[in-house]
Amino acid sequence: MKAHLTRRYKFSASHRLHSPEFSAERNQEIYGKCNNPYGHGHNYKVEVTVSGQPDPATGMICNLADLDGFVERVVMPRFEFSNLNELDAFRDVVPTTENLSRELFHLFRSQFQLATVEKVRIEETMLNSFEYAGGRELGRQ
Amino acid sequence: MVYLTRKAEFSASHFYNNPKLSPEENQRIFGKCNNPHGHGHNYTLEVTVAGKVDDRSGFVMDLKQLKEIMNREVIEGLDHRHLNQEVPEFRDNIPTTENLAIAIWNRLAGKLNGAKLHRVRVYETDDLFVDVYGEP
């Protein structure tokens, strides 16, 4: 039977929401406090969901140590204690958590090959969360 | 369609070992989880049923019945048990969270007094959970 495994990680990073498409006043109007030129930070919680048939030899969709290792090796060095605006991915993209969830989904999807990456969900704060499944509508998960 | 979720908790011990593999290979794949003396978790189970709301009762399913069925079919057999030693599904099957969620699905499917089982979610820790929907 197919199973969907979700693992939760966290990292802290800062960002500033500002779009060169808009005037300074319009940016202020749209992004409010998030437009503060010095930026601000969040403790992001990231959930990644992988799916597949558990391997009969191990009972696992993929070895959790491999998923944790991937996050440790590839994801954390890039995001932990970073300023998101400085990252290549956000040079021309506003680092909203919508865009962060897309970026992380594509990073997992393109580089973690040991299971099907279904979805990334990010809690920016306890009150906001964002989910991205590669553009697919969310149903069974 | 309305989805109703009921939670339950159980505590159990387990370890991961595949007798077809060498001790070294087991250690490499399963790491700390290969400790033959086992270790334990406080598992949280969430069972979601889906259905139409009954006009007379206003229920998708009587929660009291759902709670009793979950207790009878799942919790009584798993709570304060050693999954490898005492739970039949894991005699020849490694009690990972994936396999545990599948075993719980199989225990509940068809036993909910006609309500449709939608999802079984098992949290092994706050940072790790598995969902199954009965997909082949």
Side-chain angles (χ1 to χ4, degrees):
Chain A
M1 188 181 295
K2 188 177 179 183
H4 307 252
L5 176 142
T6 299
R7 181 71 157 159
R8 206 169 148 89
Y9 303 94
K10 57 186 174 184
F11 66 81
S12 303
S14 66
H15 68 172
R16 179 200 186 201
L17 303 187
H18 181 92
S19 170
E21 301 287 319
F22 306 122
S23 67
E25 295 70 29
R26 186 75 181 122
N27 267 293
Q28 183 56 43
E29 214 174 279
I30 296 171
Y31 297 120
K33 283 185 191 173
C34 301
N35 188 233
N36 175 351
Y38 300 109
H40 64 281
H42 296 288
N43 298 322
Y44 293 96
K45 308 283 193 308
V46 176
E47 288 180 3
V48 58
T49 301
V50 298
S51 70
Q53 301 288 337
D55 180 339
T58 63
M60 298 168 171
I61 296 170
C62 67
N63 198 321
L64 210 52
D66 290 329
L67 184 59
D68 288 350
F70 175 80
V71 169
E72 197 60 37
R73 210 172 53 250
V74 177
V75 180
M76 287 305 160
R78 204 172 296 188
F79 292 96
E80 175 76 307
F81 294 108
S82 70
N83 178 331
L84 298 179
N85 299 72
E86 289 182 330
L87 304 181
D88 284 348
F90 298 112
R91 191 161 292 158
D92 302 311
V93 173
V94 185
T96 58
T97 307
E98 289 91 329
N99 283 330
L100 182 60
S101 60
R102 291 204 290 203
E103 176 61 23
L104 278 168
F105 176 86
H106 291 305
L107 182 60
F108 277 105
R109 217 353 129 74
S110 62
Q111 294 193 35
F112 185 73
Q113 312 289 359
L114 300 174
T116 303
V117 175
E118 287 219 343
K119 188 180 78 171
V120 165
R121 175 175 177 272
I122 304 179
E123 293 173 19
E124 183 183 69
T125 69
M126 282 171 65
L127 305 177
N128 301 330
S129 67
F130 303 82
E131 296 175 70
Y132 184 67
R136 192 168 54 79
E137 288 199 19
L138 293 178
R140 286 186 152 184
Q141 50 169 306
Chain B
M1 192 76 96
V2 172
Y3 298 80
L4 177 158
T5 299
R6 172 81 190 176
K7 276 194 201 191
E9 291 183 324
F10 61 94
S11 302
S13 59
H14 68 175
F15 74 109
Y16 295 169
N17 188 65
N18 182 340
K20 291 179 190 151
L21 304 175
S22 68
E24 294 72 26
E25 192 70 351
N26 272 295
Q27 183 56 43
R28 188 185 64 74
I29 295 171
F30 299 120
K32 284 185 189 171
C33 301
N34 186 229
N35 175 354
H37 301 293
H39 63 279
H41 298 285
N42 298 323
Y43 291 95
T44 302
L45 166 64
E46 288 183 7
V47 174
T48 302
V49 300
K52 286 190 180 150
V53 179
D54 182 86
D55 283 339
R56 289 179 300 170
S57 66
F59 287 167
V60 170
M61 179 184 183
D62 184 336
L63 255 183
K64 186 157 46 56
Q65 281 181 11
L66 178 56
K67 180 183 159 186
E68 283 165 8
I69 294 165
M70 285 165 64
N71 275 336
R72 188 178 68 233
E73 301 294 335
V74 180
I75 304 301
E76 279 175 21
L78 302 182
D79 190 31
H80 287 74
R81 301 284 184 186
H82 191 296
L83 300 178
N84 306 67
Q85 309 288 353
E86 298 181 273
V87 177
E89 286 95 327
F90 303 115
R91 201 163 289 148
D92 301 310
N93 204 3
I94 301 170
T96 56
T97 318
E98 291 93 322
N99 281 338
L100 187 54
I102 291 169
I104 293 173
W105 176 281
N106 287 333
R107 282 176 175 229
L108 291 171
K111 295 196 182 128
L112 298 176
N113 296 344
K116 184 176 171 288
L117 182 57
H118 171 69
R119 185 184 78 189
V120 165
R121 171 174 288 186
V122 178
Y123 284 88
E124 186 183 82
T125 66
D126 291 342
D127 294 332
L128 177 66
F129 61 87
V130 169
D131 293 324
V132 296
Y133 300 87
E135 301 157 279

